């Protein structure tokens, strides 16, 4: 069963929410250090650790989505038939065909949760040494893997993938 991907949007709300979560965690740390409760300090520390992990995870996912949004605004990808994919860079309207493809690295996201199921991309290396990044918002990464089976060098599955 394939989970439907959350389509990228302007995620200013997600970034603001992540910042609020981190600030609330800092407030909890301040409160626990300055005015420690009489009992159950361990439960307070555990709560702060869990809340801090969740808030940093939320903020990190929002920032990665923002970088994906910027990338998907610059690149348009279309598939003519089952064997050809065309990439158009909108900044200079430069047409890139993948005839001189050296290899493709695919970075899939764990597809079982809506939190990070959309954070996957492909890094394409051309024979000229140029690298092109394509996110899942431009074209499904699975389609790239299907078309260029023999050129796929790395396939990695992670919870979230930042562009590298």
């Amino acid at each position: 069963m394939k989970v439907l991907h959350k389509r990228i949007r302007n995620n200013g709300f997600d970034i603001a929410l992540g910042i609020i979560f981190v600030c609330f965690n800092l407030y909890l740390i301040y409160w626990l250090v300055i005015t420690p409760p009489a009992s159950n300090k361990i439960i307070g520390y555990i709560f702060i650790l869990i809340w801090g992990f969740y808030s940093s995870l939320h903020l990190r996912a929002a920032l990665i989505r923002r970088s994906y949004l910027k990338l998907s605004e610059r690149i348009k990808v279309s598939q003519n038939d089952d064997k050809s994919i065309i990439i158009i860079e909108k900044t200079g309207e430069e047409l890139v065909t993948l005839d001189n493809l050296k290899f493709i690295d695919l970075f899939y996201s764990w597809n079982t949760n809506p939190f990070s199921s959309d954070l996957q991309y492909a890094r394409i290396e051309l024979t000229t040494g140029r690298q092109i990044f394509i996110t899942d918002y431009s074209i499904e990464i699975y389609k790239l893997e299907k078309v260029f089976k023999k050129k796929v060098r790395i396939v990695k599955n992670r919870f979230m993938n930042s562009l590298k």
Side-chain angles (χ1 to χ4, degrees), residues 76-159:
K76 179 183 176 190
V77 179
S78 62
Q79 183 176 9
N80 288 344
D81 52 15
D82 289 341
K83 303 248 187 229
S84 72
I85 292 178
I86 298 172
I87 301 169
I88 300 172
E89 291 192 39
K90 294 179 184 176
T91 54
E93 294 297 326
E94 181 182 346
L95 180 69
V96 177
T97 58
L98 299 179
D99 297 333
N100 55 354
L101 178 70
K102 189 174 181 182
F103 61 82
I104 296 179
D105 297 335
L106 301 173
F107 296 91
Y108 284 106
S109 177
W110 296 348
N111 225 7
T112 58
N113 60 0
F115 185 73
S116 69
S117 64
D118 59 338
L119 299 177
Q120 49 195 6
Y121 71 94
R123 180 176 55 206
I124 298 173
E125 175 94 17
L126 302 176
T127 55
T128 60
R130 181 176 176 197
Q131 288 187 350
I132 300 172
F133 291 94
I134 298 176
T135 63
D136 197 42
Y137 303 112
S138 302
I139 189 171
E140 288 185 26
I141 301 303
Y142 177 73
K143 288 182 181 180
L144 286 174
E145 183 179 15
K146 195 169 135 183
V147 171
F148 301 110
K149 289 180 210 173
K150 296 178 182 176
K151 297 287 186 169
V152 174
R153 184 178 72 159
I154 297 173
V155 177
K156 289 191 177 181
N157 290 312
R158 297 181 183 150
F159 182 67

Side-chain angles (χ1 to χ4, degrees), residues 14-16 18-19 22 54-64 115:
D14 290 338
I15 292 173
I19 291 171
V22 169
Y54 174 74
S55 60
S56 65
L57 192 66
H58 189 84
L59 184 61
R60 186 170 159 229
L63 292 173
I64 291 172
F115 185 73

